[in-house]
Amino acid sequence: MELRNSHILQLDGLRAIAVLMVLFVHFGLLGLGWIGVQLFFVLSGYLITKGLLIEKQKKGNVFKFLKIFYIKRSLRIFPIYFLYISVFIFICLYYYQYDRLEKTIIPMLTYTINIYAMFRNHVDMNGIGHLWSLAVEEQFYLVWPFVIYYINLKFLKKTLFSILLIIPIFRLVLFYLIQTKTNDLHYAGELVYLNPLSHFDAFASGALIIFFEEKYKSFQIKDAKVILLSALTIVVSIGVFKLIDEVPQNGFSFSYLSTGGFPHLMINNFGYFFGYTLLNLFFSILIFCVIKCPNILAFLKNKFLVYTGKISYGLYMYHVPVLIFIQHLKISNSFAGKISLMILYFGLTYLLATFSFKTVERYFMSFKQKLI
């Protein structure tokens, strides 16, 4: 299998959709928006695995292989992550939040904030809670390069399918053990969600795209439409069934309906068992169809979406402090006031992410060729 690297604008568009969903859910407008993180994980599984396999084709030794991977990832991720943490440390010191800083500094610096958040007595995570997904990504990076380097392609494919089968069972067992011990459904759901192993089927779903991408060299847009529509129908049908079956005691509401049947943590009807995998597989089918038939969702090439996808890392990092800032503004709770807040929220987040991308991120990425 001879792989080549190629930039697909539509994948930037998908990144944009993912980060916009997250921004909307945190603003309180889209209960389903949390799945944007799942889309990020699946995309990461595809892109990281493909990049590693391309590097493996060059037949360099393991040290060179790892060096290239970790330098690229570090230059892309570390600069604004540690800049963000530095600002957080300054704020904690300025407001004398020494206990909060003491308990979160090591988890933040070591990309284990998701592990720390699993403890019931953790401190206030306001402003840093969203870093959990970056921690999961980094924990994936610690393992995956070794898997790709030392496992041949035939066995890798079997490994990926095995992960798709094993991880849902892992989530089921973990949820049952925590819920039985604590009698707390929400806490059990949180532990499942924050656990890095719980999302390895997302990365595996993304990685499997590569094998189907190579197998189906010629793929007609009509085939892609049938497959994508079928997958969407299955997901929507299950979502509608869950909506009807899990009506809250106070009845239907916009926030409830906006989850599409997939509320955050999915603690009812074994959603934590099959829901994540269902969404991951749907996203892998979506990505596959977009790769093979770029025009199937032509709007993903829209300049705004492509640009949003390019600065998506910054948008994800900065949207939380912007949200905290605007929540302290004394703006009317009327419809016009909420619209004003939303415009301010997105505007400031985009400005920060754009400035960050054009200065900090581009500056550090320019070192890539020199260091590898």
Side-chain angles (χ1 to χ4, degrees):
M1 185 166 68
E2 189 71 24
L3 296 174
R4 291 183 177 83
N5 223 342
S6 58
H7 184 77
I8 301 171
L9 290 178
Q10 285 84 346
L11 295 187
D12 286 328
L14 282 179
R15 274 200 200 93
I17 298 297
V19 76
L20 288 173
M21 290 182 82
V22 173
L23 264 64
F24 274 114
V25 71
H26 286 164
F27 192 74
L29 285 179
L30 183 64
L32 188 65
W34 67 271
I35 71 171
V37 174
Q38 296 305 126
L39 177 52
F40 271 124
F41 286 159
V42 178
L43 264 172
S44 184
Y46 169 71
L47 294 169
I48 294 299
T49 304
K50 189 168 186 177
L52 287 168
L53 287 172
I54 289 171
E55 196 57 42
K56 185 181 178 180
Q57 288 175 170
K58 299 176 183 177
K59 302 188 183 301
N61 62 56
V62 65
F63 299 105
K64 184 178 180 181
F65 176 80
L66 294 174
K67 174 189 171 185
I68 290 171
F69 174 75
Y70 286 119
I71 285 177
K72 284 181 177 179
R73 288 290 84 201
S74 298
L75 290 174
R76 183 69 189 97
I77 294 170
F78 286 177
I80 66 171
Y81 179 83
F82 287 105
L83 173 63
Y84 188 92
I85 289 175
S86 299
V87 173
F88 176 78
I89 291 171
F90 173 78
I91 291 172
C92 285
L93 293 174
Y94 184 81
Y95 287 103
Y96 305 105
Q97 297 176 345
Y98 301 127
D99 181 63
R100 189 181 186 212
L101 181 58
E102 181 184 354
K103 291 180 178 178
T104 58
I105 185 67
I106 298 301
M108 286 190 298
L109 292 175
T110 58
Y111 278 98
T112 54
I113 197 74
N114 61 320
I115 306 298
Y116 172 72
M118 292 182 190
F119 294 95
R120 302 188 89 168
N121 61 343
H122 65 72
V123 297
D124 176 23
M125 302 289 283
N126 197 24
I128 56 173
H130 65 304
L131 302 182
W132 78 272
S133 63
L134 302 179
V136 169
E137 288 263 4
E138 287 298 315
Q139 289 151 17
F140 168 67
Y141 297 158
L142 288 177
V143 176
W144 209 239
F146 294 93
V147 171
I148 299 302
Y149 188 84
Y150 287 110
I151 294 181
N152 63 48
L153 283 175
K154 188 176 181 180
F155 190 66
L156 176 61
K157 190 176 181 180
K158 292 179 180 179
T159 301
L160 295 173
F161 277 115
S162 298
I163 291 172
L164 289 182
L165 293 174
I166 293 169
I167 295 303
I169 297 171
F170 165 78
R171 288 196 295 262
L172 180 65
V173 172
L174 179 62
F175 187 94
Y176 174 77
L177 291 174
I178 300 300
Q179 192 272 329
T180 301
K181 186 175 181 179
T182 64
N183 198 30
D184 188 336
L185 289 173
H186 186 81
Y187 181 59
E190 279 194 329
L191 259 65
V192 167
Y193 189 60
L194 294 169
N195 193 300
L197 289 178
S198 292
H199 299 286
F200 262 60
D201 58 337
F203 299 119
S205 298
L208 273 171
I209 297 169
I210 297 164
F211 292 92
F212 289 95
E213 181 185 3
E214 291 301 307
K215 183 178 180 179
Y216 298 100
K217 292 288 186 182
S218 57
F219 199 70
Q220 301 298 319
I221 192 166
K222 62 180 181 180
D223 300 321
K225 286 180 178 178
V226 170
I227 291 173
L228 191 55
L229 186 60
S230 300
L232 182 62
T233 301
I234 292 171
V235 173
V236 171
S237 298
I238 292 173
V240 170
F241 174 80
K242 287 173 88 282
L243 274 175
I244 296 171
D245 192 54
E246 299 171 9
V247 181
Q249 291 182 350
N250 57 351
F252 289 104
S253 64
F254 171 76
S255 61
Y256 174 69
L257 290 173
S258 72
T259 67
F262 295 95
H264 187 231
L265 303 185
M266 297 188 288
I267 58 178
N268 295 317
N269 288 330
F270 299 96
Y272 52 87
F273 169 57
F274 71 87
Y276 295 113
T277 298
L278 178 67
L279 291 169
N280 296 335
L281 290 174
F282 170 73
F283 288 138
S284 64
I285 291 170
L286 172 62
I287 294 166
F288 171 77
C289 290
V290 166
I291 292 169
K292 300 304 290 184
C293 304
N295 290 325
I296 191 171
L297 296 174
F299 72 91
L300 292 174
K301 291 192 294 184
N302 175 277
K303 288 183 179 180
F304 170 74
L305 287 179
V306 170
Y307 178 73
T308 298
K310 286 181 179 178
I311 64 169
S312 59
Y313 180 37
L315 290 171
Y316 185 80
M317 287 295 294
Y318 304 129
H319 82 279
V320 171
V322 170
L323 190 58
I324 293 170
F325 167 71
I326 66 168
Q327 285 172 344
H328 286 85
L329 297 177
K330 294 180 179 179
I331 295 179
S332 168
N333 200 34
S334 63
F335 178 76
K338 289 179 180 178
I339 293 295
S340 300
L341 276 179
M342 187 171 68
I343 293 171
L344 189 60
Y345 170 51
F346 279 90
L348 287 177
T349 304
Y350 264 82
L351 282 173
L352 279 173
T354 298
F355 179 76
S356 172
F357 182 76
K358 292 187 175 181
T359 55
V360 180
E361 294 170 66
R362 275 186 175 172
Y363 173 75
F364 281 95
M365 284 190 290
S366 68
F367 288 102
K368 185 168 66 175
Q369 295 304 322
K370 297 176 185 177
L371 295 174
I372 61 175

Tab-separated table of all heavy atoms in Angstrom, residues 128-155:
chain	number	residue	atom	x	y	z
A	128	ILE	N	-10.200	25.704	32.300
A	128	ILE	CA	-9.231	24.671	31.886
A	128	ILE	C	-9.882	23.314	31.620
A	128	ILE	O	-9.220	22.388	31.159
A	128	ILE	CB	-8.107	24.489	32.937
A	128	ILE	CG1	-8.722	24.153	34.309
A	128	ILE	CG2	-7.223	25.722	33.005
A	128	ILE	CD1	-7.683	23.794	35.359
A	129	GLY	N	-11.181	23.204	31.897
A	129	GLY	CA	-11.857	21.921	31.710
A	129	GLY	C	-11.786	21.410	30.288
A	129	GLY	O	-11.701	20.198	30.053
A	130	HIS	N	-11.812	22.328	29.305
A	130	HIS	CA	-11.805	21.895	27.906
A	130	HIS	C	-10.471	21.319	27.466
A	130	HIS	O	-10.375	20.719	26.384
A	130	HIS	CB	-12.200	23.064	26.995
A	130	HIS	CG	-11.230	24.204	26.977
A	130	HIS	ND1	-10.835	24.864	28.113
A	130	HIS	CD2	-10.568	24.815	25.943
A	130	HIS	CE1	-9.988	25.832	27.793
A	130	HIS	NE2	-9.807	25.818	26.489
A	131	LEU	N	-9.446	21.454	28.301
A	131	LEU	CA	-8.127	20.901	27.955
A	131	LEU	C	-8.115	19.386	28.034
A	131	LEU	O	-7.139	18.745	27.627
A	131	LEU	CB	-7.051	21.486	28.878
A	131	LEU	CG	-6.897	23.020	28.882
A	131	LEU	CD1	-5.768	23.425	29.800
A	131	LEU	CD2	-6.664	23.554	27.476
A	132	TRP	N	-9.197	18.785	28.566
A	132	TRP	CA	-9.236	17.328	28.707
A	132	TRP	C	-9.050	16.622	27.358
A	132	TRP	O	-8.368	15.592	27.279
A	132	TRP	CB	-10.569	16.888	29.329
A	132	TRP	CG	-11.712	16.876	28.369
A	132	TRP	CD1	-12.546	17.904	28.067
A	132	TRP	CD2	-12.116	15.776	27.541
A	132	TRP	NE1	-13.454	17.527	27.108
A	132	TRP	CE2	-13.216	16.213	26.770
A	132	TRP	CE3	-11.666	14.464	27.383
A	132	TRP	CZ2	-13.861	15.397	25.849
A	132	TRP	CZ3	-12.308	13.638	26.461
A	132	TRP	CH2	-13.391	14.106	25.705
A	133	SER	N	-9.665	17.161	26.304
A	133	SER	CA	-9.594	16.493	25.000
A	133	SER	C	-8.182	16.564	24.415
A	133	SER	O	-7.744	15.644	23.716
A	133	SER	CB	-10.598	17.106	24.019
A	133	SER	OG	-10.303	18.463	23.764
A	134	LEU	N	-7.471	17.662	24.692
A	134	LEU	CA	-6.077	17.776	24.241
A	134	LEU	C	-5.220	16.764	24.976
A	134	LEU	O	-4.273	16.209	24.406
A	134	LEU	CB	-5.567	19.192	24.475
A	134	LEU	CG	-6.360	20.310	23.796
A	134	LEU	CD1	-5.762	21.671	24.134
A	134	LEU	CD2	-6.391	20.112	22.297
A	135	ALA	N	-5.542	16.517	26.246
A	135	ALA	CA	-4.814	15.515	27.024
A	135	ALA	C	-5.033	14.126	26.431
A	135	ALA	O	-4.082	13.339	26.295
A	135	ALA	CB	-5.269	15.553	28.482
A	136	VAL	N	-6.273	13.819	26.046
A	136	VAL	CA	-6.570	12.524	25.428
A	136	VAL	C	-5.783	12.361	24.134
A	136	VAL	O	-5.219	11.292	23.857
A	136	VAL	CB	-8.091	12.391	25.157
A	136	VAL	CG1	-8.389	11.174	24.278
A	136	VAL	CG2	-8.850	12.274	26.475
A	137	GLU	N	-5.720	13.425	23.324
A	137	GLU	CA	-4.932	13.387	22.083
A	137	GLU	C	-3.471	13.091	22.376
A	137	GLU	O	-2.851	12.243	21.718
A	137	GLU	CB	-5.052	14.732	21.346
A	137	GLU	CG	-6.389	14.992	20.713
A	137	GLU	CD	-6.430	14.639	19.239
A	137	GLU	OE1	-5.421	14.109	18.727
A	137	GLU	OE2	-7.475	14.871	18.617
A	138	GLU	N	-2.891	13.776	23.355
A	138	GLU	CA	-1.488	13.570	23.685
A	138	GLU	C	-1.234	12.158	24.190
A	138	GLU	O	-0.200	11.550	23.898
A	138	GLU	CB	-1.036	14.585	24.741
A	138	GLU	CG	-0.872	15.997	24.221
A	138	GLU	CD	0.203	16.097	23.147
A	138	GLU	OE1	1.297	15.517	23.340
A	138	GLU	OE2	-0.047	16.737	22.116
A	139	GLN	N	-2.160	11.618	24.964
A	139	GLN	CA	-2.017	10.253	25.465
A	139	GLN	C	-2.079	9.251	24.305
A	139	GLN	O	-1.387	8.230	24.317
A	139	GLN	CB	-3.091	9.980	26.522
A	139	GLN	CG	-2.830	10.743	27.810
A	139	GLN	CD	-4.088	11.090	28.592
A	139	GLN	OE1	-5.158	10.533	28.372
A	139	GLN	NE2	-3.961	12.038	29.522
A	140	PHE	N	-2.886	9.571	23.301
A	140	PHE	CA	-2.932	8.768	22.074
A	140	PHE	C	-1.589	8.831	21.349
A	140	PHE	O	-1.073	7.808	20.883
A	140	PHE	CB	-4.066	9.291	21.191
A	140	PHE	CG	-4.068	8.765	19.784
A	140	PHE	CD1	-4.315	7.422	19.521
A	140	PHE	CD2	-3.841	9.625	18.714
A	140	PHE	CE1	-4.331	6.937	18.218
A	140	PHE	CE2	-3.854	9.155	17.415
A	140	PHE	CZ	-4.102	7.803	17.163
A	141	TYR	N	-0.998	10.029	21.293
A	141	TYR	CA	0.281	10.199	20.608
A	141	TYR	C	1.415	9.419	21.282
A	141	TYR	O	2.398	9.058	20.618
A	141	TYR	CB	0.684	11.681	20.572
A	141	TYR	CG	-0.247	12.586	19.795
A	141	TYR	CD1	-0.272	13.955	20.048
A	141	TYR	CD2	-1.098	12.085	18.816
A	141	TYR	CE1	-1.122	14.803	19.347
A	141	TYR	CE2	-1.953	12.923	18.120
A	141	TYR	CZ	-1.959	14.280	18.380
A	141	TYR	OH	-2.798	15.108	17.687
A	142	LEU	N	1.305	9.191	22.568
A	142	LEU	CA	2.357	8.461	23.281
A	142	LEU	C	2.407	6.995	22.875
A	142	LEU	O	3.459	6.358	22.929
A	142	LEU	CB	2.132	8.553	24.803
A	142	LEU	CG	2.399	9.902	25.465
A	142	LEU	CD1	2.047	9.839	26.943
A	142	LEU	CD2	3.850	10.325	25.285
A	143	VAL	N	1.273	6.480	22.457
A	143	VAL	CA	1.163	5.052	22.147
A	143	VAL	C	1.211	4.772	20.649
A	143	VAL	O	1.903	3.855	20.188
A	143	VAL	CB	-0.161	4.489	22.727
A	143	VAL	CG1	-0.348	3.023	22.341
A	143	VAL	CG2	-0.207	4.666	24.229
A	144	TRP	N	0.497	5.583	19.872
A	144	TRP	CA	0.216	5.246	18.482
A	144	TRP	C	1.440	5.153	17.570
A	144	TRP	O	1.499	4.244	16.724
A	144	TRP	CB	-0.808	6.225	17.909
A	144	TRP	CG	-1.650	5.606	16.839
A	144	TRP	CD1	-1.775	6.009	15.544
A	144	TRP	CD2	-2.510	4.466	16.972
A	144	TRP	NE1	-2.649	5.207	14.860
A	144	TRP	CE2	-3.106	4.247	15.716
A	144	TRP	CE3	-2.812	3.608	18.027
A	144	TRP	CZ2	-4.003	3.197	15.490
A	144	TRP	CZ3	-3.702	2.570	17.808
A	144	TRP	CH2	-4.277	2.375	16.546
A	145	PRO	N	2.429	6.020	17.666
A	145	PRO	CA	3.599	5.883	16.796
A	145	PRO	C	4.291	4.528	16.937
A	145	PRO	O	4.763	3.953	15.940
A	145	PRO	CB	4.522	7.022	17.263
A	145	PRO	CG	3.602	8.018	17.858
A	145	PRO	CD	2.513	7.225	18.511
A	146	PHE	N	4.336	3.999	18.144
A	146	PHE	CA	4.956	2.685	18.366
A	146	PHE	C	4.113	1.576	17.739
A	146	PHE	O	4.652	0.620	17.159
A	146	PHE	CB	5.136	2.433	19.868
A	146	PHE	CG	6.112	3.364	20.517
A	146	PHE	CD1	5.682	4.550	21.114
A	146	PHE	CD2	7.475	3.078	20.511
A	146	PHE	CE1	6.580	5.416	21.702
A	146	PHE	CE2	8.384	3.942	21.105
A	146	PHE	CZ	7.938	5.119	21.697
A	147	VAL	N	2.781	1.712	17.852
A	147	VAL	CA	1.880	0.730	17.242
A	147	VAL	C	2.089	0.702	15.731
A	147	VAL	O	2.232	-0.372	15.125
A	147	VAL	CB	0.403	1.074	17.570
A	147	VAL	CG1	-0.559	0.194	16.766
A	147	VAL	CG2	0.138	0.912	19.062
A	148	ILE	N	2.120	1.862	15.121
A	148	ILE	CA	2.258	1.960	13.663
A	148	ILE	C	3.624	1.449	13.199
A	148	ILE	O	3.732	0.752	12.180
A	148	ILE	CB	2.054	3.414	13.181
A	148	ILE	CG1	0.642	3.905	13.533
A	148	ILE	CG2	2.302	3.525	11.677
A	148	ILE	CD1	-0.474	3.084	12.960
A	149	TYR	N	4.657	1.759	13.931
A	149	TYR	CA	6.015	1.381	13.495
A	149	TYR	C	6.240	-0.128	13.597
A	149	TYR	O	6.852	-0.734	12.712
A	149	TYR	CB	7.066	2.116	14.329
A	149	TYR	CG	8.471	1.925	13.793
A	149	TYR	CD1	8.948	2.741	12.763
A	149	TYR	CD2	9.304	0.926	14.283
A	149	TYR	CE1	10.228	2.566	12.252
A	149	TYR	CE2	10.581	0.742	13.785
A	149	TYR	CZ	11.031	1.570	12.770
A	149	TYR	OH	12.295	1.380	12.259
A	150	TYR	N	5.771	-0.738	14.659
A	150	TYR	CA	6.115	-2.132	14.925
A	150	TYR	C	5.085	-3.156	14.437
A	150	TYR	O	5.348	-4.357	14.462
A	150	TYR	CB	6.351	-2.335	16.422
A	150	TYR	CG	7.656	-1.731	16.894
A	150	TYR	CD1	7.669	-0.597	17.710
A	150	TYR	CD2	8.873	-2.275	16.503
A	150	TYR	CE1	8.867	-0.038	18.134
A	150	TYR	CE2	10.074	-1.727	16.924
A	150	TYR	CZ	10.060	-0.610	17.747
A	150	TYR	OH	11.252	-0.060	18.159
A	151	ILE	N	3.919	-2.703	14.005
A	151	ILE	CA	2.902	-3.638	13.524
A	151	ILE	C	2.769	-3.534	12.007
A	151	ILE	O	2.667	-2.434	11.461
A	151	ILE	CB	1.534	-3.341	14.193
A	151	ILE	CG1	1.615	-3.623	15.695
A	151	ILE	CG2	0.437	-4.183	13.567
A	151	ILE	CD1	0.316	-3.386	16.436
A	152	ASN	N	2.787	-4.687	11.325
A	152	ASN	CA	2.638	-4.651	9.874
A	152	ASN	C	1.193	-4.321	9.499
A	152	ASN	O	0.276	-4.416	10.322
A	152	ASN	CB	3.090	-5.972	9.231
A	152	ASN	CG	2.249	-7.158	9.676
A	152	ASN	OD1	1.024	-7.101	9.661
A	152	ASN	ND2	2.899	-8.241	10.083
A	153	LEU	N	0.982	-3.956	8.237
A	153	LEU	CA	-0.317	-3.446	7.798
A	153	LEU	C	-1.452	-4.452	7.978
A	153	LEU	O	-2.551	-4.089	8.388
A	153	LEU	CB	-0.238	-3.025	6.329
A	153	LEU	CG	0.464	-1.688	6.053
A	153	LEU	CD1	0.579	-1.463	4.564
A	153	LEU	CD2	-0.296	-0.541	6.697
A	154	LYS	N	-1.160	-5.733	7.686
A	154	LYS	CA	-2.201	-6.749	7.795
A	154	LYS	C	-2.681	-6.887	9.237
A	154	LYS	O	-3.883	-6.935	9.506
A	154	LYS	CB	-1.674	-8.085	7.278
A	154	LYS	CG	-2.747	-9.162	7.174
A	154	LYS	CD	-2.182	-10.433	6.563
A	154	LYS	CE	-3.277	-11.499	6.446
A	154	LYS	NZ	-2.755	-12.761	5.851
A	155	PHE	N	-1.723	-6.926	10.151
A	155	PHE	CA	-2.079	-7.071	11.557
A	155	PHE	C	-2.649	-5.766	12.110
A	155	PHE	O	-3.481	-5.784	13.018
A	155	PHE	CB	-0.859	-7.500	12.376
A	155	PHE	CG	-1.193	-7.894	13.782
A	155	PHE	CD1	-1.968	-9.016	14.034
A	155	PHE	CD2	-0.754	-7.129	14.850
A	155	PHE	CE1	-2.296	-9.380	15.327
A	155	PHE	CE2	-1.082	-7.477	16.154
A	155	PHE	CZ	-1.855	-8.610	16.394
